[in-house]
């Protein structure tokens, strides 16, 4: 992309995006410099496209075209609409932290009644002190753009040893149509802590909005963490989330993502084992219909020995949906005794559905046991016939088999209530389908 | 009264005619055995009655309780009382047997306009039947037929037969892959379901099964037709002389 | 010390310089000046007495090539190649036109004898049947086309093949003698614009084999080409074209070696296969180019484009490769499954040791209905080598009923090497059924111990495990080749395998 004159499809100059937003972006002078530099990186690279290997199957230039201008900060009406959406999507008993149109909404959040061991500030506040939260180990165009444009985010800290009885839920609500939300959050989980974190993306009446979210997660030694992400955006929304997770020693992490909405969505996760003896269960479900495009791209970096990772991914694709799964397992030269497995399966319900799988192994140590499996195909006719011969109508027979199919990923969620909650969301998607 | 009437049925699979005009009438309360060598079209008949896709009926009729069965979807046939015990019951990972049984039973009841079973009633009924068939409770928690032995799969079929209370049971090669003990348990389960209102069509290659499930009528199939019908003694005759004598008759 | 550890120690001490085919043949040769230009392209074409259309074809490729850049996506690293510092044409200086083996430079014949390639099947060549008991009657005849640097020096059994209607000759001859076939099929599978190296090959290829099997003919013997790079600083650019007409069958074998040299040499071949209705082509390769020495110096850059087109219904193309040589391997023998009910197969053993880098795999492109493909890939990495499997399986929207099964397994020997798997799996219609599995592991200590406890030496035990690991693929090779391949695998892993 040519820097100086780069224009988007609608004729807007790319640089206007930053120039028009700059006044609203929080941070000291030092932060402004970091943002400028990040934006220049984005301007130089432009939106990722299919010739960038990591974005081969999710060509944002073709799918999205241009980045929309920043959403206005929410007014009272927006907050009231958001409050209704929060009520509808809140997980019972969870402490809620709400971001509306890219701005932390204290009034909708449970900041005053946080469980002990949980503390929350905002990105806005953190940027007053330093620009640290704007830098990441690696940054592609969308991550750089996020660093340049992030308006706010949650800075969540779970103290060492904190045993939380209820989840903490971060809810992103979009109320402004045809605008962008840039958020960047940090989740720090202390040593030996036992939290459950939920992140939900929902719309309150808005359509055709764009989300560019970044989350920096660090998990201390001996922690036992459940992390659930539910991407249930409006049907015509775009959601690109980048998540960096650093895992300490002897950690148990149970991670799950489900995409059941949004015209274009991508979760790119970069998970690094920084301490030995940790176990990661990493699971995902894409439920796609119409022309929806859902992409789960995970890089699991076994940088130290003696860690285990298990990935289970299921995609159900109807109509002209397009599902992408890219899973890369890296085993560094010293990461002996690594045990990494990945299984991805796609179910195509229509002749025009598409599933692209790229499960990758990159292995530099010899004493390892790594593998992956991938399948793609339609519902098994003999199973369907068996169910029909037992009296189930076509759609019900399909639904039962689809539930069983995605169940293989959902059942990896350890917490009973959460699992039921996710099953409920999947069932709702199936009902909408028929 | 005639429950099932198959009239001059001609069936093709991928351009090849398998059944060349088969006629068979089964009345309520009767047990019919259909015997024949491999490739005679026995299983094709069972699949066509149940409505399995991939078969093209080019001529003839199948009436069930006087209605045209061929016009109905497989699930509609099931709801009206047609039950096929599969020769090779499929494995359905991820669908617990219990969930499957309840979903299927309620779907059939709903299609018939009946109320759904209450959970306690349903559980009670499953427990009773599974006990009589020697099916352990933990088997019901597993995925349908997943990791079941050959005998367990067949018992699971009989369990469903008992739960769904169909008026026509078609047992397709129920004895295949079973040892004598497993066969006896399954056959006892089937015999317990004999009733004046229910008919059964037992498809088998060997006479052995008919020692346990004693038929009223025996039909010999060869090359897509019924070539001889008779009483249960016909099965014994076949055991002695084999199928060869019928190959030419066809 | 655990057995595996000891094996690793042995591997570290491997002297890759043991390459057994590293000798040089001292003969007079004729070379074009170094570098590449339109003049060189014209020179090659003129040397080959080519018709005008062929020169035109080459020049178009050359002009296209000038606009292209080298691909960088493969997981291989090497210094930039100076394409002006390579000889694009070298040929043994002919004393006169060669009509029989006796007139070939005896040094070249000796070379092939040393390599164990039977160019002098004299008795058979002249149709004299071996006396009973003199020769193993089970031994099958293999017709050989020997390519020395840039030219074909001998093709055996031509007469017998001719009787069956099979055309097997150097492609340079085919261009002159069968222009209609060459014009129809050359570049129809790998177009001149396909990729950087294929385009370069199109401009400068000097020789290679041409095979045409007429309708309904089952080729009466295995066909084989043996490639030898001898000259210093020379690129080898051979071009192979095999056409199996309707209902025919052919099995083709390819072997390669080169002398040991300190500098890297470029080998950029193109192989095109065309299978028409109901035809089958089986293509087997044992690639043993010089891999470089124990410091990673020298060795062949093997940048090869191989592609088969299952153009007809019910056609079948099967690739089997045993890759043990080259400093860098960049090759993806592929199948375009265009005809309905066509089938593609890829069986591969890729072994890397020392500083070798392998980036190899296949593409199965399902276009026709009810097409099926099967991929079995076995990668073994030892020493400080990097071994990557890269494969694409794609079923297009109209390729209903497409099926693929892929199994790619990697074995690591030692902790200084890398084994990588990069599959691309694209299902674009619901009736496609794809199954893919991959594993990476090292040789199990338990298995080794079990074998050693039963009396095997460590090397024998490792050999046993490795042979078991690659068995599925070796079985795909014609018998004579399988034995050679098995020996080669042992040599390649010398130090770790007895």
């Amino acid at each position: 992309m040519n820097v100086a004159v780069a224009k988007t499809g609608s004729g807007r100059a790319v640089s206007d995006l930053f120039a028009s937003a700059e006044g609203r972006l929080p941070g000291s002078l030092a932060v402004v410099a970091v943002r400028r530099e990040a934006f220049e990186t984005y301007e130089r690279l432009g939106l990722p496209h299919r010739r960038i290997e990591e974005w081969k199957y999710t060509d944002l230039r073709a799918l999205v075209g241009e980045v929309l201008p920043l959403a206005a900060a929410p007014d009272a009406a927006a907050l009231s609409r958001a409050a209704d959406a929060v009520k509808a999507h809140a997980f019972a008993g969870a402490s809620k932290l709400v971001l509306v149109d890219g701005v932390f909404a204290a009034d909708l959040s449970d900041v005053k009644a946080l469980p002990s061991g949980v503390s929350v500030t905002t990105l806005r506040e953190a940027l007053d002190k330093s620009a640290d939260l704007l830098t990441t180990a690696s940054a592609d165009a969308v991550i750089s753009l996020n660093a340049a444009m992030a308006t706010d985010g949650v800075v969540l800290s779970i103290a060492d040893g904190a045993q939380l009885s209820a989840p903490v839920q971060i809810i992103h609500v979009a109320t402004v149509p045809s605008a962008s939300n840039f958020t960047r959050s940090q989740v720090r989980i202390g040593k030996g802590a036992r939290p459950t974190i939920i992140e939900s993306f929902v719309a309150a009446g808005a359509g055709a909005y764009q989300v560019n979210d970044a989350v920096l997660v660090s998990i201390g030694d001996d922690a036992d963490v459940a992390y659930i992400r539910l991407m249930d955006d409006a049907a015509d929304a775009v959601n690109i989330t980048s998540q960096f997770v650093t895992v300490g020693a002897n950690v148990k992490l149970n991670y799950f993502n489900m995409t059941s909405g949004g015209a274009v969505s991508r979760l790119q996760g970069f998970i690094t084992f920084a301490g030995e003896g940790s176990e990661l269960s990493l699971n995902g479900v894409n439920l796609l219909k119409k022309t929806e495009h859902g992409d789960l791209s995970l890089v699991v970096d076994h940088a130290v020995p003696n860690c285990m990772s298990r990935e289970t991914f299921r995609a159900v694709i109807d109509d002209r949906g397009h599902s992408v799964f890219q899973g890369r397992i890296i085993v560094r030269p010293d990461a002996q005794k690594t045990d990494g497995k990945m299984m991805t399966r796609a179910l195509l319900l229509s002749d025009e559905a598409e599933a692209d799988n790229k499960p990758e192994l990159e292995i530099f140590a010899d004493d390892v046991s790594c593998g992956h499996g991938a399948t793609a195909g339609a519902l098994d006719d003999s199973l369907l016939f068996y169910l029909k011969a037992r009296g189930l109508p076509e759609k019900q027979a399909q639904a039962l088999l689809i539930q069983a199919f995605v169940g293989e990923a959902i059942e990896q969620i350890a917490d009973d209530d959460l699992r039921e909650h996710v099953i409920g969301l999947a069932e709702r998607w199936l009902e909408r389908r028929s | 009264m005639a429950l099932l009437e198959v009239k001059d049925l001609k069936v093709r699979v991928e351009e090849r005619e398998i059944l060349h005009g088969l006629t068979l009438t089964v009345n309520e309360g009767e047990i019919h055995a259909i015997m024949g060598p491999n490739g005679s079209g026995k299983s094709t008949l069972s699949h066509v009655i149940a409505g399995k896709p991939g078969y093209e009926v080019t001529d003839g009729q199948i009436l069930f309780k006087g209605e045209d069965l061929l016009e109905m979807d497989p699930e509609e046939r099931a709801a009206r009382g047609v039950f096929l015990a599969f020769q090779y019951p499929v494995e359905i990972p991820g669908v617990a047997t219990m969930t499957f049984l309840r979903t299927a039973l309620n779907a059939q009841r709903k299609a018939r306009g009946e109320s759904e079973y209450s959970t306690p009633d349903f559980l009670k009924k499953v427990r009773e039947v599974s006990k009589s068939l020697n099916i352990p409770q933990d088997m019901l928690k597993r995925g349908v037929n997943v990791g079941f032995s050959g005998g367990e799969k067949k018992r699971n079929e009989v369990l469903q037969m008992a739960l769904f209370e169909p008026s026509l049971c078609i047992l397709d090669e129920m004895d295949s892959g079973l040892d004598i003990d497993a066969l006896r348990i399954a056959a006892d389960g089937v015999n317990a379901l004999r009733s004046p209102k229910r008919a059964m069509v037992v498809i088998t290659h060997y006479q052995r099964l008919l020692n346990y499930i004693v038929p009223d009528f025996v039909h010999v199939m060869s090359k897509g037709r019924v070539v001889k019908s008779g009483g249960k003694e016909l099965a014994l005759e076949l055991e002695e002389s084999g199928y060869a004598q019928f190959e030419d008759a066809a | 010390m655990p057995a595996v550890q000891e094996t690793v120690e042995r591997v570290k001490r491997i002297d890759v310089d043991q390459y057994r085919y590293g000798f040089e043949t001292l003969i007079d040769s004729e070379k074009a000046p170094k570098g590449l230009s339109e003049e060189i392209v014209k020179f090659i074409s003129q040397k080959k007495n080519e018709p005008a259309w062929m020169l035109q074809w080459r020049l178009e490729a050359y002009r296209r090539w000038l606009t292209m850049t080298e691909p960088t996506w493969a997981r291989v690293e090497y210094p930039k190649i100076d394409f002006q510092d390579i000889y694009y044409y070298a040929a043994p200086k002919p004393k006169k036109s060669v009509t029989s083996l006796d007139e070939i430079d005896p040094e070249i014949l000796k070379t092939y004898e040393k390599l164990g390639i039977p160019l002098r099947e004299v008795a058979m060549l002249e149709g004299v049947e071996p006396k009973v008991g003199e020769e193993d009657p089970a031994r099958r005849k293999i017709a050989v086309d020997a390519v020395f640097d840039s030219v074909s020096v001998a093709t055996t059994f031509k007469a017998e093949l001719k009787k069956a209607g099979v055309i097997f000759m150097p492609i340079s001859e085919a261009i002159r003698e069968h222009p209609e076939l060459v014009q129809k099929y050359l570049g129809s599978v790998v177009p001149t614009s396909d990729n950087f190296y294929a385009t370069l090959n199109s401009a400068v290829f000097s020789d290679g084999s041409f095979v045409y099997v007429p309708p309904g003919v089952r080729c009466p013997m295995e066909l084989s080409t043996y490639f030898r790079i001898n000259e210093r600083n020379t690129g080898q650019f051979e071009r192979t074209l095999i056409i199996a007409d309707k209902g025919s069958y052919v099995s083709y074998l390819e072997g390669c070696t080169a002398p040991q040299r300190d500098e890297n040499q470029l080998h950029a071949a193109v192989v095109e296969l065309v299978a028409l209705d109901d035809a089958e082509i089986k293509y087997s390769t044992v690639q043993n180019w010089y891999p470089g020495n124990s410091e990673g110096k020298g060795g062949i850059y093997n940048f090869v484009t191989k592609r088969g087109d299952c153009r007809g219904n019910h056609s079948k193309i099967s690739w089997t490769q045993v890759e043990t040589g080259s400093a860098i391997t960049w090759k993806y023998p592929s199948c375009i499954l265009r005809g309905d009910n066509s089938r593609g197969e890829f069986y591969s053993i890729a072994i890397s040791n020392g500083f070798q880098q392998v980036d190899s795999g296949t593409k199965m492109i399902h276009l026709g209905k009810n097409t099926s493909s099967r991929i079995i890939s076995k990668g073994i990495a030892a020493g400080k080598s990097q071994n990557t499997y890269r494969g694409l399986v794609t079923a297009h929207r109209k390729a209903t009923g497409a099926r693929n099964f892929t199994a790619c397994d990697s074995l690591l020997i030692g902790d200084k090497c890398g084994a990588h798997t990069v599959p691309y799996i694209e299902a674009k219609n619901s009736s496609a059924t794809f199954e893919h599995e991959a594993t990476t592991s090292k040789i199990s200590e338990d298995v080794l111990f079990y074998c050693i406890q039963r009396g095997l030496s460590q090397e024998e035990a490792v050999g046993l495990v490795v042979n078991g690991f690659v068995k599925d693929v070796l079985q795909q090779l014609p018998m004579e080749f399988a034995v050679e391949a098995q020996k080669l695998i042992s040599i390649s892993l010398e130090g770790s395998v007895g």
Side-chain angles (χ1 to χ4, degrees), chain A residues 256-259 267 282-288 294-298 310-317 322-327 341-347 355-359 373-375 405-406 408-410 412:
Chain A
F256 179 87
N257 179 76
M258 184 157 83
T259 300
L267 167 63
L282 197 55
N283 310 289
V285 170
N286 274 0
L287 301 172
L288 304 171
D295 174 344
L296 180 64
S297 293
L298 300 170
R310 286 282 176 279
E311 293 173 52
T312 306
F313 179 70
R314 297 287 179 270
V316 178
I317 314 144
H322 183 179
S323 177
V324 177
F325 174 75
Q326 303 187 103
K341 305 262 157 54
M342 173 161 56
M343 182 69 208
T344 161
R345 295 178 62 193
L347 184 60
D356 295 322
N357 279 315
K358 190 182 168 205
T375 67
F405 179 81
V406 298
E408 291 165 26
I410 297 176
Q412 306 295 326

Side-chain angles (χ1 to χ4, degrees), chain B residues 50-192:
Chain B
K52 189 170 179 167
Y55 296 89
E56 190 195 346
V57 175
T58 53
D59 204 1
Q61 259 194 313
I62 304 181
L63 300 180
F64 182 68
K65 295 176 185 170
E67 287 182 282
D68 186 356
L69 199 64
L70 296 173
E71 283 299 303
M72 300 178 205
D73 286 334
E75 61 269 29
E76 211 177 331
R77 301 180 198 198
R80 300 216 180 196
V82 176
F83 182 94
L84 170 63
F86 287 70
Q87 182 180 3
Y88 303 110
V90 295
E91 299 188 5
I92 315 178
V95 178
T97 305
M98 210 56 157
T99 309
F100 163 72
L101 294 176
R102 183 160 45 192
T103 313
L105 182 58
N106 283 334
Q108 291 192 21
R109 293 180 68 91
K110 196 174 157 198
R112 292 194 293 261
E114 298 164 10
S115 65
E116 296 192 354
Y117 256 99
S118 76
T119 305
D121 287 353
F122 172 76
L123 289 176
K124 189 161 163 268
K125 192 162 180 183
V126 174
R127 236 173 258 136
E128 267 171 31
V129 183
S130 54
K131 202 174 163 200
S132 71
L133 284 165
N134 207 5
I135 293 174
Q137 292 300 302
D138 77 291
M139 220 170 98
L140 301 175
K141 290 183 192 139
R142 283 191 271 158
V144 177
N145 291 326
V146 176
F148 288 18
S149 70
E152 286 171 333
K153 282 181 184 170
K154 293 296 164 78
R155 271 184 275 156
N156 190 12
E157 295 290 285
V158 180
L159 167 69
Q160 293 172 42
M161 208 192 297
L163 272 181
F164 301 160
E165 299 174 329
S167 40
L168 174 67
C169 305
I170 301 157
L171 312 180
D172 190 4
E173 305 275 4
M174 204 180 82
D175 49 338
S176 71
L178 294 194
D179 61 34
I180 285 293
D181 290 332
L183 179 59
R184 188 175 293 133
I185 295 170
D188 287 349
V190 172
N191 285 327

Side-chain angles (χ1 to χ4, degrees), chain C residues 302-408:
Chain C
N302 192 33
F303 300 152
V304 170
T305 304
K306 289 184 167 177
R307 197 173 301 153
D309 189 352
C310 285
R311 207 164 281 181
N313 295 338
H314 296 279
S315 57
K316 179 178 170 187
I317 289 178
S318 177
W319 297 99
T320 304
Q321 60 171 23
V322 178
E323 300 282 311
T324 64
S326 297
I328 297 175
T329 301
W330 179 98
K331 71 181 264 203
Y332 314 90
S334 304
C335 296
I336 300 168
L337 303 168
R338 203 184 299 278
D340 291 347
N341 300 96
S342 60
R343 177 169 175 83
E345 293 175 344
F346 175 75
Y347 299 96
S348 170
I349 299 170
I351 298 180
S352 55
N353 200 349
F355 284 84
Q356 282 176 272
Q357 303 176 59
V358 178
D359 194 303
S360 184
T362 185
K363 290 190 233 175
M364 292 292 173
I365 299 163
H366 292 258
L367 302 176
K369 294 186 183 11
N370 298 317
T371 48
S372 63
S373 60
R374 183 179 173 83
I375 299 171
I376 307 288
S377 164
K378 305 282 180 180
I380 301 171
K384 292 178 178 163
S385 67
Q386 298 296 329
N387 200 324
T388 302
Y389 166 82
R390 187 183 302 275
L392 167 72
V393 177
T394 180
H396 284 237
R397 200 129 279 169
K398 288 180 180 153
T400 50
R403 308 183 82 83
N404 165 268
F405 175 78
T406 300
C408 51

Side-chain angles (χ1 to χ4, degrees), chain A residues 251-269:
Chain A
V251 166
K252 282 194 168 51
L253 171 60
N254 186 282
Y255 185 101
F256 179 87
N257 179 76
M258 184 157 83
T259 300
S260 53
V264 177
S265 57
R266 162 148 160 151
L267 167 63
Q268 43 177 3

Side-chain angles (χ1 to χ4, degrees), chain A residues 53 57 357 359 361-362 370 372 374, chain C residues 421 423-426 436 438 440:
Chain A
E53 180 65 23
Y57 295 115
N357 279 315
L361 298 172
E362 198 175 314
C370 288
H372 58 69
Chain C
T421 316
Y424 300 78
I425 307 156
E426 305 173 356
H436 168 103
T440 302

Side-chain angles (χ1 to χ4, degrees), chain C residues 88-108:
Chain C
Y88 287 86
Y89 182 81
K93 214 173 240 176
K95 301 205 164 72
K96 53 180 174 174
S97 135
V98 178
T99 53
S100 85
L101 279 180
D102 296 334
E103 293 165 44
I104 296 174
D105 191 322
E107 288 299 319
I108 293 177

Side-chain angles (χ1 to χ4, degrees), chain C residues 145-390:
Chain C
D145 182 22
V147 177
F148 200 83
D149 286 333
S150 299
V151 291
S152 173
V153 291
T155 307
T156 60
F157 291 111
K158 261 174 143 172
E160 192 171 336
L161 288 167
K162 203 173 173 185
K163 235 185 277 167
V166 176
I167 304 170
F168 179 40
M169 58 171 57
I171 199 161
S172 53
E173 272 178 56
I175 290 168
R176 296 190 299 266
E177 292 177 25
H178 301 282
E180 71 298 339
L181 283 174
V182 176
Q183 260 185 302
K184 183 168 177 191
Y185 291 105
L186 188 72
S188 73
V189 186
V190 180
T192 50
S193 57
D194 194 78
N195 70 71
F196 185 82
Y197 296 109
T199 306
L200 175 62
N201 174 288
S202 301
V204 302
F205 78 86
S206 38
D207 223 329
S209 299
F210 174 83
V211 178
Y212 171 78
V213 189
V217 171
R218 196 180 165 86
C219 188
M221 65 187 83
E222 312 266 359
L223 304 183
S224 164
T225 298
Y226 204 91
F227 296 104
R228 173 81 179 167
I229 298 179
N230 192 57
E231 274 302 320
R232 200 174 283 275
N233 294 324
T234 306
Q236 180 149 330
F237 306 92
E238 76 276 349
R239 183 114 192 168
T240 299
L241 175 59
I242 299 177
I243 302 136
D245 212 322
K246 291 179 182 174
S248 67
Y249 169 86
V250 62
S251 168
Y252 183 90
L253 321 172
E254 172 199 89
C256 347
T257 58
Q260 233 163 287
R261 295 189 188 285
D262 284 347
E263 73 272 13
N264 297 105
Q265 279 177 286
L266 178 63
H267 173 251
V270 172
V271 175
E272 295 179 277
L273 311 182
V274 180
L276 302 181
D277 288 353
D278 303 299
E280 178 175 349
I281 301 174
K282 190 171 165 59
Y283 194 105
S284 312
T285 306
V286 173
Q287 184 264 110
N288 186 27
W289 296 118
Y290 177 54
N293 71 4
S294 52
E295 265 87 54
K297 205 164 183 203
I300 302 291
Y301 290 167
N302 192 33
F303 300 152
V304 170
T305 304
K306 289 184 167 177
R307 197 173 301 153
D309 189 352
C310 285
R311 207 164 281 181
N313 295 338
H314 296 279
S315 57
K316 179 178 170 187
I317 289 178
S318 177
W319 297 99
T320 304
Q321 60 171 23
V322 178
E323 300 282 311
T324 64
S326 297
I328 297 175
T329 301
W330 179 98
K331 71 181 264 203
Y332 314 90
S334 304
C335 296
I336 300 168
L337 303 168
R338 203 184 299 278
D340 291 347
N341 300 96
S342 60
R343 177 169 175 83
E345 293 175 344
F346 175 75
Y347 299 96
S348 170
I349 299 170
I351 298 180
S352 55
N353 200 349
F355 284 84
Q356 282 176 272
Q357 303 176 59
V358 178
D359 194 303
S360 184
T362 185
K363 290 190 233 175
M364 292 292 173
I365 299 163
H366 292 258
L367 302 176
K369 294 186 183 11
N370 298 317
T371 48
S372 63
S373 60
R374 183 179 173 83
I375 299 171
I376 307 288
S377 164
K378 305 282 180 180
I380 301 171
K384 292 178 178 163
S385 67
Q386 298 296 329
N387 200 324
T388 302
Y389 166 82
R390 187 183 302 275

